[in-house]
Amino acid sequence: MSVPAFTGSNVMDVDAAKIRGAGSNVHFDKVSVAYGAHVVLHPLTLDIAPGEILAMIGPSGSGKTTALRAVAGFVRPASGRIRIGATDVTDLPPYERGLGMVVQNYALFPHMRVEDNVAFGLRAQGADKALIGERVKDSLATVGMSGFSKRYPRELSGGQQQRVAIARALAVRPRVLLLDEPLSALDAQIRRNMVEEIAKLHRDLPGLTILYVTHDQTEALTLADKIAIMRDGRVSSHGPTTELYRRPPNRFTAEFLGRANLLPVTVAEGAAGPKGLAKAKLGDAVLAGAGRSEKPGDRTLLCIRPQHLSLTGDEEHTNRIVGTLKEVHWQGELTHLVLDVDGTPVRVSATRLPVSLPERGSAMPLFFTPGDTSLVPEDVRG
Amino acid sequence: MADAAVLPATPAARRAPGRFWIVPPAALLALLFFYPLALIVQQAFLDDSGMANVAEFVRVLHARFFLNALINTITISVAATAGCLIVGLVLGLILAFVPFPGSGVIARLIDTFIALPTFLVTLAFTFIYGSAGMLNAGLMEVFSLQAPPVDFLYSTWGVVLAEVTVYSPFVLRPLLAAFSLVDRGQIEAASVLGARPFRIVRQVILPAAVPALIAGGSLCLLLTVNEFGIVLFIGAKGVITLPLLIYSKAIQESAYQVACIIAVINIALSLGLFGLYRFAAGRLGV
Ligand SMILES: Nc1ncnc2c1ncn2[C@@H]1O[C@H](COP(=O)(O)OP(=O)(O)O)[C@@H](O)[C@H]1O
Ligand SMILES: [Mg+2]
């Protein structure tokens, strides 16, 4: 049992250029996982294209880690197959899968210096000395840790340890990099920097396929080419990041990925308006929004992001709703307003406020562009 | 001492802040421990007429019976400790890292071994491996033999086997504690990086268990150097260790100075090993 791109001899011919050119795809083919009678992953079918960053995002306990660990080989699927590139890895032990993995608590080897941590995988795979030296240098340079090769993990900060963990995973030139909440243990400032650095890392290694598990929507939105939203052991939605954000296919996706105002509306007669926009009625107001295949009379939700609501109208912002001002929270860069529109709380994130804001409790119009909205079906919960 | 502060503040306690409390334990230690120890050391350097005499000490150090006992003691305790380390390590790895139902029960069962008197195992060994034991009786019956074929029990190796059986839990215990602290994430990371189980044991698990191995191993050395019951009980011909030699010199030959000289050496050996154990245990944090 051997994986072609992972045996000792092959490690040495797979150079960086080759990796850049061709990564491997990861394919979940109806993979399910159960602990006893408790099904934590319902048959999951999902493909991660070569060189793609797929962010798997969802609330705690939704099965993200389980899916990732099934790829790594630590969780045995109850059914289904997992393929990496052309290899069916379902029955392979973790050490024959040719992967890299980085987890939340770094899991560095505490009794080894940074350089030995990074060299560990290559030594395990029997690479020769010269190659190991070169790769260790390269990998540490990639994560900006060249000056720390002689340190022990305990002599590094959390962010530095995580860089070393990434270098350790990259040194073996993995076919796929698995990241499970890699930044969750870091504080906010460092986390933001690390997100940008991982993005840069992927620009440098565009062939590297990455499965990025997180519960943080900002990380997912910043990094991912595609996002899979998990809910109760199922993929609730899956698609290109911007697409999923702009046109969420269901309420759960709309609310999990960024903030969303979801107004209950009824699809109006007259079907598609100009530019293929659907018309929907909210009380007396008739609004236009990007529809799917709604029929007149359907009850659905109109999704509008807080930053797309404007306090002033113009020829672009043709949709108009009126709400009652409830709360105003000033946060420096942004001011958050909460209004009540027909019983639905509506949030507005405004960068600029008019000179005078109406009193709390008084009526206030809000304007938005039809192109910024979409109609989202209410979730049908099973 | 600080503990006095917990007591209700009696006037006495306020006047002398607890310094008095060192006296009872110190007195007790002196009476029960240091005084007899000092007597033994004194006896070792005084001849029967009460004169200081180092020549006897030197003579014993060079005597055949002493050197034999010393070599026996060291051989047995090193071999038994090596056995304990191997048995403890293998059992520990299985109990800690191979998930099987009931591993906790087994670990606790092995633990209770520590509570049993050491010669009990020797007694059981006699029933099983002794010349009239189950194994020999069975073999003689099956193969119609005249003499018992298995007679390792009444040799150095019988002693070693008994000691390994009795003292392995002393290695297993700190090992399991150390293993439970090994981050499973490290093992998984190593595995994903391409390391097979044997390499993971060597490079990830064992380095974390070194202090436990040293602590358990030095405790085993200490206990086996001083083991008396097992050696006496097995009564193998020619297998005389230091504690047994002290016993026979003092009780059977009434050669008290010789007994004390050997005892001093035995004590020095024990204290050295104990120091090693404390050092290792300190690093382990137990
Ligand atoms: N080893 C296990 N034994 C039993 N249940 C588990 C085990 N690991 C995870 N689970 C359960 O599986 C579900 C999904 O867990 P997980 O994949 O870790 O979720 P996530 O990573 O999305 O937070 C949870 O309900 C969790 O309790
Ligand atoms: Mg998780």
Side-chain angles (χ1 to χ4, degrees), chain A residues 59-66 104 180-181 213-215:
Chain A
S60 166
S62 56
K64 309 180 295 291
T65 296
T66 303
Q104 182 175 344
D180 190 355
E181 313 251 1
V213 162
T214 179
H215 63 263

Side-chain angles (χ1 to χ4, degrees), chain B residues 83-212:
Chain B
C84 288
L85 287 175
I86 292 168
V87 171
L89 194 59
V90 171
L91 275 179
L93 286 171
I94 294 172
L95 288 174
F97 296 108
V98 184
F100 65 90
S103 61
V105 178
I106 303 272
R108 244 165 289 142
L109 212 64
I110 294 174
D111 238 21
T112 51
F113 245 74
I114 293 177
L116 301 179
T118 59
F119 56 82
L120 211 68
V121 172
T122 325
L123 190 63
F125 269 36
T126 324
F127 287 138
I128 299 167
Y129 307 112
S131 38
M134 283 171 359
L135 184 64
N136 272 318
L139 287 174
M140 284 162 73
E141 177 84 28
V142 171
F143 298 102
S144 335
L145 301 170
Q146 297 303 312
V150 178
D151 71 343
F152 73 90
L153 187 58
Y154 306 109
S155 71
T156 306
W157 300 115
V159 176
V160 169
L161 189 71
E163 291 187 355
V164 168
T165 310
V166 170
Y167 291 121
S168 286
F170 288 85
V171 174
L172 184 61
R173 219 178 204 201
L175 262 188
L176 284 179
F179 287 165
S180 73
L181 297 178
V182 174
D183 175 12
R184 294 302 185 270
Q186 285 171 24
I187 296 172
E188 292 184 354
S191 185
V192 169
L193 288 167
R196 282 151 203 272
F198 188 62
R199 178 182 287 268
I200 295 177
V201 167
R202 252 187 319 128
Q203 300 192 339
V204 179
I205 296 176
L206 281 190
V210 165

Side-chain angles (χ1 to χ4, degrees), chain B residues 200-279:
Chain B
I200 295 177
V201 167
R202 252 187 319 128
Q203 300 192 339
V204 179
I205 296 176
L206 281 190
V210 165
L213 281 173
I214 296 178
S218 49
L219 191 61
C220 275
L221 273 178
L222 180 67
L223 293 169
T224 50
V225 158
N226 293 327
E227 180 57 43
F228 181 67
I230 290 175
V231 189
L232 186 72
F233 221 96
I234 285 187
K237 232 203 276 143
V239 183
I240 305 288
T241 59
L242 291 182
L244 220 59
L245 189 62
I246 297 168
Y247 171 76
S248 68
K249 287 293 171 200
I251 306 299
Q252 290 165 352
E253 300 174 27
S254 296
Y256 285 109
Q257 192 188 357
V258 176
C260 286
I261 290 170
I262 303 166
V264 165
I265 293 159
N266 199 347
I267 289 166
L269 202 58
S270 300
L271 287 178
L273 291 171
F274 183 70
L276 184 67
Y277 168 70
R278 284 312 310 164
F279 173 73

